[in-house]
Amino acid sequence: MTVGQVLGERHGVVLPVRVDRSGVTGPTPRAAAGPEWRRTSRGHYVPSYVEPTTAQRIAEVGAVLPERVAVTGWAALSWRGARWFEGLDAQGVPLAVPVVAPTRCLRPQPVMELREERLAEEDLERVDGLLATTPLRSTASVIRHAPDLDTAVARLEMAYASDLVSAGEVEAWLDERPGLPGIVQGREALALADENSWSPMEWTLRRLWLDRFAGARLLVNRPVFDLTGKHIATPDLIDPETGVTGEYDGAAHHGGARRATELRREGDVRRHGLEPVVMVAPDGHRPAGFWARLDDAYARAARRAASERTWTLEPPYWWRATHSVALRRAVVGPEREVWLSRPGPMFDPDPPHTPAACRGEERQDGQGSWKT
C-alpha cells in the first residue's frame, strides 16, 4: 500500500481494530464483549452501529489479510462497483468473502473462503487500498466456483453488464489456463452467456424459452422502433422472426407508477404487431404457465401476416448501439448518461500498478434503460 493510502477510503468503510487494554486504539477486552462493538473476524472489531454493507464486509476481511492474499470472485467485482454482486445466496444470507493465495496461509474463519490457487503478478491489482484480483481473474473465479451452470451464466452476464470484462477477454483467459478447477463449467457458461443482459433473471427467462422452442434465435435487450424510427420499447428478449417478446416481471415492476408505465408500453407493443409474454419469479421453478403463455403468443404471431407489422429492429441513423461490451466501452463522457444511464467503472486500480503479492513464492499458481 502506498504512503498515505487508506484501505476503503473511497468506499467510506470503517476498518476493524484490535482489542487494546488501554482503550486508545481499540476497545478494551470488556468493551469488546459488550453491545457497543461487533466482532468482524478473529481478534478484530468495529463499532456495533457500523452497518455490515457489502463494501463493509469486504473491507473487514481485506484489512486482516496477509500481504500475499487477495480478495477475488464476487467480492473483487463488487469492490470495483459492479452491480448485482451483493454477496448474498438465494435466501439472502451473506456469503463468505472469497480470497485467494498460492498456499494455505490462513486459519479458517466463517467470514472468508480461502481458495488455494496459483497466482500470477498480472492477476493482481490494488483498488482503493485493497489487494484484489483483476476483473478477468475475478470473473473467472465467479463462474468456475459457481454452485451450478445456471448460476455461472447469470453471474457472467452480470460481469459483462459492468463492462469490466468482455466475452473475448474471458475466453482468452480461460484458454490460457486449462488446468484450473472449474474450467469446464467456465467454458460452458461462456458459450451460453450474452453480453447485453441487464439483470440476473434474464438468463432464466432465456433458458426457459429455449427449453420450449430450442430453435428460436433470441436477441437480448434490442431496441424496437416503429417504421418512422421512433423507439417503441426494448424488451428483455425478442424473437425477430415472429415478433414474440419476453419480459421478466420482478417485484420492482409492481409499484403503481412503474406498473402503469409497463402497461402503457405493453399496449404500444401490441399495437405494432408484437406479441409480449411475461415471466414472473414462480415460473422459474414451475414453468408450465409461462410455456402456455409462450405457446399462445407464438400461435397469435403465426396468424399475423408479416405485412401487418409496423415495427423494425433497424435503428435510425442517430441511434447509438450498445449491445456489446465493446460498444458500451466506446461510449464515454456525458454520452454514457444519455445512452447507458450509468457512469463507467466506479473504482479503477490505484496507480501505480502494484501486484506485490506472492513475489518470491516457489509456487505461483488469476445501456441505458431505454426500457420505458
Side-chain angles (χ1 to χ4, degrees):
M1 198 176 299
T2 58
V3 176
Q5 183 182 16
V6 178
L7 192 158
E9 187 173 19
R10 288 183 283 167
H11 284 76
V13 297
V14 177
L15 297 183
V17 294
R18 290 184 176 276
V19 169
D20 177 16
R21 292 189 178 279
S22 67
V24 175
T25 61
T28 63
R30 181 174 182 178
E36 295 184 354
W37 290 86
R38 171 171 62 83
R39 181 183 173 186
T40 60
S41 61
R42 190 175 294 110
H44 290 81
Y45 297 83
V46 295
S48 57
Y49 64 77
V50 175
E51 183 181 355
T53 63
T54 303
Q56 178 65 33
R57 291 195 293 116
I58 296 169
E60 289 171 359
V61 169
V64 300
L65 294 180
E67 181 65 20
R68 59 188 177 179
V69 183
V71 169
T72 190
W74 66 262
L77 293 173
S78 178
W79 189 256
R80 294 172 184 272
R83 290 189 61 201
W84 304 108
F85 292 95
E86 295 91 352
L88 304 174
D89 66 14
Q91 287 71 45
V93 177
L95 298 170
V97 173
V99 299
V100 61
T103 58
R104 185 164 294 278
C105 54
L106 285 173
R107 294 171 61 189
Q109 296 193 56
V111 294
M112 66 181 75
E113 175 190 356
L114 177 62
R115 296 169 182 170
E116 186 180 349
E117 296 179 357
R118 291 183 298 172
L119 280 170
E121 288 192 5
E122 61 266 24
D123 285 334
L124 298 166
E125 293 173 335
R126 283 205 182 273
V127 183
D128 194 17
L130 178 75
L131 186 66
T133 53
T134 62
L136 270 173
R137 176 80 192 222
S138 303
T139 300
S141 179
V142 163
I143 60 178
R144 290 189 298 113
H145 295 286
D148 52 63
L149 181 59
D150 269 353
T151 304
V153 176
R155 290 178 180 173
L156 178 55
E157 291 190 336
M158 294 306 93
Y160 292 154
S162 71
D163 299 336
L164 288 169
V165 297
S166 69
E169 292 164 350
V170 174
E171 180 178 22
W173 197 96
L174 295 176
D175 286 346
E176 292 170 2
R177 298 159 177 82
L180 287 179
I183 207 75
V184 172
Q185 176 169 276
R187 288 173 175 158
E188 290 175 346
L190 181 68
L192 295 169
D194 191 281
E195 286 192 344
N196 202 35
S197 185
W198 295 356
S199 69
M201 285 301 292
E202 290 181 14
W203 159 243
T204 302
L205 170 63
R206 195 162 79 254
R207 177 178 57 79
L208 291 180
W209 192 318
L210 293 173
D211 284 346
R212 193 65 167 179
F213 294 93
R217 182 175 69 90
L218 303 177
L219 299 180
V220 181
N221 289 308
R222 294 298 181 90
V224 183
F225 308 88
D226 67 17
L227 300 184
T228 69
K230 180 182 178 182
H231 179 245
I232 301 171
T234 302
D236 293 343
L237 292 178
I238 183 169
D239 181 340
E241 302 300 323
T242 63
V244 177
T245 69
E247 296 277 3
Y248 172 67
D249 192 348
H253 295 249
H254 297 162
R258 177 70 177 268
R259 189 56 181 160
T261 300
E262 297 282 348
L263 292 173
R264 183 170 63 253
R265 184 180 56 152
E266 183 176 326
D268 292 340
V269 163
R270 291 187 184 279
R271 277 192 295 275
H272 285 282
L274 295 158
E275 287 293 340
V277 180
V278 172
M279 186 194 91
V280 293
D283 293 329
H285 305 286
R286 297 180 296 277
F290 170 69
W291 284 340
R293 296 192 295 276
L294 198 58
D295 290 344
D296 290 344
Y298 270 98
R300 289 192 297 269
R303 294 193 293 267
R304 181 178 293 109
S307 59
E308 298 178 18
R309 296 179 181 176
T310 59
W311 60 270
T312 180
L313 293 174
E314 185 66 29
Y317 72 92
W318 51 266
W319 189 269
R320 186 83 182 249
T322 59
H323 57 267
S324 72
V325 172
L327 289 170
R328 293 193 295 272
R329 284 174 174 173
V331 184
V332 296
E335 280 197 317
R336 287 193 69 87
E337 289 297 324
V338 175
W339 294 103
L340 298 177
S341 296
R342 64 177 186 268
M346 191 179 303
F347 297 103
D348 295 323
D350 298 326
H353 180 67
T354 54
C358 306
R359 285 196 187 129
E361 292 287 341
E362 182 178 347
R363 296 181 55 204
Q364 289 195 341
D365 299 322
Q367 314 175 348
S369 75
W370 290 111
K371 288 271 186 180
T372 59

